Amino acid sequence: MPHPRLLLLLLPLWLMACSDGDWRQASREPAGIAPAPDHTPEAVIQVYGADAWGWRGWFAIHTWIAVKPSQADQYTVFEVIGWRKRSGLPVLRVAKDYPDRFWFGARPEVLLDKRGEGVDELIVQIKQAAANYPWRDQYRVFPGPNSNTFPAWVADQVPELELELPWRAIG
């Protein structure tokens, strides 16, 4: 059993980590980072990362990939979301969506941005990698497969993407 003074010291940290409020009320609004598809005719690939929800955000991020082929009027977002498994859905979500949504209150940052020539071919390869993702129905926070396993898988399958995830992309 830890010393009582140590517990008193750690209690405020624990409370801060667990008091992020209700995740259902946390922002999922677009951050305004991605180029507007109606003003961007070229192909775009962006990889985003944002602090994980709650105490996990102290050391881990959630990552996802957004693509927009040339002349497309929407982005497709590829991401793994663990709670989808409890609903009987694949954890790999592929959907037309805003590419730069806040991750339940955490502002995303761009980890990779590719545009223009050759990007359409990379998008085809990303879609193929997603179709072949071996853990589309599996999720485990640590050591994975989790939300960071998918972009790492894509990076392995599409080395021309030159995606290097930060150390906080655990999984």
Side-chain angles (χ1 to χ4, degrees):
M1 169 107 180
H3 192 277
R5 285 188 184 153
L6 179 62
L7 290 175
L8 285 175
L9 180 67
L10 294 177
L11 181 62
L13 293 174
W14 180 79
L15 289 173
M16 285 187 327
C18 298
S19 63
D20 287 328
D22 186 347
W23 63 268
R24 291 171 292 227
Q25 295 176 348
S27 178
R28 292 286 289 140
E29 293 297 314
I33 300 169
D38 55 345
H39 291 66
T40 311
E42 65 191 358
V44 177
I45 297 171
Q46 290 187 317
V47 179
Y48 290 92
D51 288 347
W53 174 255
W55 61 268
R56 291 178 187 99
W58 286 1
F59 58 88
I61 62 173
H62 170 80
T63 56
W64 64 97
I65 300 171
V67 303
K68 185 199 77 66
S70 295
Q71 307 304 324
D73 61 354
Q74 289 183 291
Y75 284 86
T76 299
V77 175
F78 299 84
E79 66 184 328
V80 167
I81 303 173
W83 58 258
R84 288 173 52 91
K85 183 176 179 180
R86 290 192 299 267
S87 301
L89 299 169
V91 297
L92 177 59
R93 176 181 175 266
V94 179
K96 301 289 185 194
D97 200 353
Y98 294 105
D100 57 353
R101 284 183 182 268
F102 276 70
W103 179 249
F104 298 96
R107 182 176 178 78
E109 68 177 75
V110 177
L111 304 177
L112 178 82
D113 187 337
K114 288 199 178 276
R115 304 179 195 200
E117 191 174 329
V119 172
D120 280 309
E121 291 80 17
L122 291 174
I123 291 172
V124 169
Q125 293 177 48
I126 289 169
K127 289 179 179 180
Q128 186 62 45
N132 294 327
Y133 183 60
W135 304 286
R136 65 184 317 111
D137 296 310
Q138 298 176 39
Y139 185 88
R140 187 170 53 196
V141 171
F142 186 78
N146 61 34
S147 66
N148 298 311
T149 307
F150 175 71
W153 163 264
V154 171
D156 274 352
Q157 302 303 302
V158 188
E160 302 84 7
L161 191 57
E162 300 175 327
L163 173 59
E164 293 187 27
L165 296 172
W167 69 269
R168 292 182 64 213
I170 300 168

